[in-house]
Amino acid sequence: MKIIVDFDLCQSHGLCTQAVPEVFEIRDDGFLYILDESPSEALRPKLDQAVRECPTGAIRLEA
Amino acid sequence: MTLFERIVVVGGSLAGLRAVEGLRRRGFDGAIIWIGAEPHPPYDRPPLSKQVLLGDWDAERTRFRRGDGYDDLEVDLRLGVRATRVDPRDRVLALSDGQSVPYDGLVIATGARARLFRGTEGLAGVHCLRTLDDALAIRAAFEKSARVVVIGAGFIGLEVAACARARGLEVTIVETLDEPLGETIGGMLGHRIAAMHRDRSVQLLTRRRVDKVEGERHVERVCLSDGTGLSADLVVVGIGVIPETEWLQGSGIDVNDGVVCDAWSATAVPGIVAAGDVARWYNPLFEETMRVEHWTNAVEQANVAVGRLLDGQDAAKPHQSVPYFWSDQYDCKIQFAGRVRPTDAVHVVDGSLETEQFVALYSRNGKLTGALALNRPAQLIKYRRLIAERPEVATVLPT
């Protein structure tokens, strides 16, 4: 599984950092960072939640 | 697991979409009929008062899914049709096209409509902003207008004002309260938002009431109750919304400024749940009922509601949510989390109210109740998580 974020769409709402803090982080510069681009399958339900809750639809998961 | 064979979702916007998706994600393989009152393919509303008004996005780009993007959901999507009546005893729904639709389970996600200003029916140049058509009409009006008056300094009004300024119009906002957003974010931070607009040459008149909107066929002026007349060739009304619940009259479903739901977003009528702007539910986290008109709540609540519908109350989680919303105005992003009252104490924990970068917390009786960030996205969501734990504010203030 691979996480793809469209940084043109991302507005740093940060809801993904609440859903999956292991994977997403917003740093003091205000930008989103992906801590692990190929996380374990066990995180999939939380990652699905991050996809659903992103207000700008910026996150995708690829098999 | 459920014995439902047929679930009807009424409401063609975000909560409705997420209900349909949630049903399929949970493995529901029966029929789903999805009813939307607007003729357009389902679209996202937040960009209407931002990218669409600014002219950055065309209408297509607001769609949730492109082309035949709903095929995977195997849903019977019926657009341009309203539900007109529901009979919970026979479990059947009447539609505006004359059809009757039986259901086993029903999701109410009909949202709300914009409140109009009295006496402006039929007067050209007066708009509200709720739908895609509204946004396109205002955008077109920007092209041929010089002076806009915005009635109401809520989020919609303020975002319209910001877009109109960006398009070079002269902008006046009229608000009855002491400060914009005062009821939502409190007077101190409302005052800060007011300054943000005044610094960009918007005329913001607070504690003023609009008496009437005048013009022959097309709007010409807005008259305030103190005698002031504001000339205008465009008026945008942002004075709140009315939940779409008239179709539930006589159904036995309890309505009180929204569809009354329990903590699981279920109505008292078996097999009927509600989600999004239309739903008034008991939020156990804040120990009060609330109706929340924001994007994130529609997503979260639709998920809870379909879980409750399919799994029953014992297996489903209640909708314990910290309301979150955002607003983009000029080059500023406002983010807010929590549930505050205008009298809550305010604590600035980062930056300064003199600038356009800060984080402020709210507290009541010593407990953290909310957080507002202006151009500080890194921190707001951390506080949203904290607010859910209802801590003493003293324990989260920086030392």
Side-chain angles (χ1 to χ4, degrees):
Chain A
M1 177 173 50
K2 190 164 164 47
I3 297 172
I4 297 163
V5 171
D6 184 335
F7 285 98
D8 289 336
L9 292 177
C10 175
Q11 293 179 5
S12 296
H13 282 281
L15 293 163
C16 55
T17 69
Q18 191 179 13
V20 207
E22 304 91 324
V23 168
F24 299 106
E25 180 179 290
I26 294 182
R27 297 198 182 142
D28 288 339
D29 61 11
F31 291 106
L32 177 71
Y33 290 80
I34 305 174
L35 306 178
D36 181 358
E37 290 191 351
S38 305
S40 86
E41 197 59 33
L43 285 174
R44 184 176 284 275
K46 285 162 75 175
L47 287 163
D48 282 337
Q49 182 189 343
V51 170
R52 286 200 304 276
E53 292 181 355
C54 175
T56 60
I59 309 170
R60 277 191 303 128
L61 304 181
E62 280 191 356
Chain B
M1 195 58 191
T2 172
L3 299 170
F4 292 164
E5 289 177 5
R6 199 175 158 87
I7 293 175
V8 178
V9 176
V10 187
S13 195
L14 179 63
L17 168 64
R18 295 311 176 90
V20 173
E21 290 174 341
L23 289 167
R24 291 301 185 221
R25 191 173 63 250
R26 285 175 161 78
F28 175 71
D29 61 2
I32 302 177
I33 296 120
W34 182 18
I35 313 287
E38 290 183 65
H40 305 290
Y43 60 87
D44 203 19
R45 289 189 204 280
L48 299 182
S49 52
K50 306 172 183 77
Q51 292 92 337
V52 173
L53 280 195
L54 287 171
D56 294 343
W57 285 20
D58 60 16
E60 295 262 308
R61 199 163 161 191
T62 63
R63 287 185 188 175
F64 289 119
R65 296 177 175 212
R66 310 284 154 93
D68 46 5
Y70 295 96
D71 287 358
D72 64 306
L73 295 173
E74 295 186 48
V75 60
D76 176 1
L77 174 57
R78 304 189 193 177
L79 295 172
V81 180
R82 289 175 172 275
T84 54
R85 205 165 45 79
V86 59
D87 176 354
R89 223 181 49 189
D90 295 337
R91 296 206 178 198
V92 65
L93 198 69
L95 303 183
S96 57
D97 63 2
Q99 303 249 338
S100 292
V101 180
Y103 67 85
D104 302 314
L106 178 66
V107 181
I108 298 171
T110 38
R113 64 176 181 276
R115 194 181 288 278
L116 306 175
F117 194 82
R118 64 191 143 69
T120 59
E121 299 82 2
L123 191 60
V126 181
H127 299 265
C128 55
L129 176 47
R130 177 74 186 177
T131 66
L132 179 57
D133 290 339
D134 294 336
L136 296 175
I138 294 169
R139 182 166 86 182
F142 278 174
E143 298 289 334
K144 48 186 185 182
S145 305
R147 281 184 303 273
V148 57
V149 172
V150 176
I151 303 177
F155 281 106
I156 291 292
L158 295 175
E159 290 186 353
V160 169
C163 293
R165 276 306 293 151
R167 301 290 296 265
L169 278 76
E170 274 181 45
V171 180
T172 301
I173 309 174
V174 185
E175 167 60 50
T176 55
L177 298 176
D178 292 353
E179 301 291 351
L181 306 171
E183 298 283 300
T184 318
I185 65 172
M188 189 194 261
L189 292 169
H191 188 70
R192 183 66 197 83
I193 301 302
M196 196 174 99
H197 285 266
R198 290 183 175 128
D199 288 348
R200 289 166 174 87
S201 304
V202 167
Q203 183 180 28
L204 172 57
L205 306 176
T206 53
R207 277 178 264 180
R208 307 281 198 100
R209 192 171 290 278
V210 174
D211 186 30
K212 55 180 183 284
V213 179
E214 288 184 340
E216 306 265 332
R217 287 194 295 275
H218 196 281
V219 62
E220 290 164 27
R221 82 193 67 77
V222 174
C223 306
L224 308 189
S225 54
D226 64 3
T228 309
L230 303 167
S231 62
D233 34 31
L234 171 63
V235 169
V236 181
V237 180
I239 54 173
V241 298
I242 301 166
E244 288 279 8
T245 54
E246 285 83 351
W247 63 286
L248 299 171
Q249 274 172 15
S251 68
I253 296 167
D254 193 10
V255 170
N256 179 11
D257 182 36
V259 175
V260 176
C261 298
D262 64 14
W264 289 263
S265 225
T267 72
V269 178
I272 303 182
V273 297
D277 293 14
V278 77
R280 170 172 293 283
W281 92 102
Y282 177 78
N283 187 337
L285 213 48
F286 294 87
E287 298 174 324
E288 60 176 301
T289 68
M290 53 180 75
R291 194 172 64 73
V292 174
E293 299 161 4
H294 300 299
W295 193 96
T296 297
N297 182 62
V299 170
E300 294 175 344
Q301 193 167 21
N303 189 42
V304 170
V306 296
R308 168 68 180 78
L309 191 61
L310 294 179
D311 302 339
Q313 184 168 315
D314 294 340
K317 280 190 198 153
H319 184 38
Q320 304 200 68
S321 165
V322 177
Y324 168 75
F325 62 78
W326 76 94
S327 179
D328 297 312
Q329 298 168 28
Y330 312 103
D331 50 350
C332 297
K333 180 177 285 299
I334 303 166
Q335 294 169 288
F336 179 93
R339 177 84 172 172
V340 305
R341 295 182 192 159
T343 49
D344 286 4
V346 174
H347 319 260
V348 176
V349 291
D350 183 43
S352 149
L353 293 189
E354 303 301 309
T355 70
E356 292 187 339
Q357 287 198 327
F358 63 83
V359 179
L361 304 183
Y362 297 81
S363 68
R364 181 164 67 249
N365 302 328
K367 299 267 194 195
L368 181 67
T369 54
L372 184 145
L374 186 61
N375 294 324
R376 274 280 190 261
Q379 296 184 41
L380 196 278
I381 291 298
K382 291 178 198 165
Y383 286 114
R384 186 182 188 223
R385 197 165 52 227
L386 272 175
I387 293 163
E389 298 164 10
R390 313 302 313 277
E392 298 285 331
V393 71
T395 65
V396 301
L397 291 176
T399 46

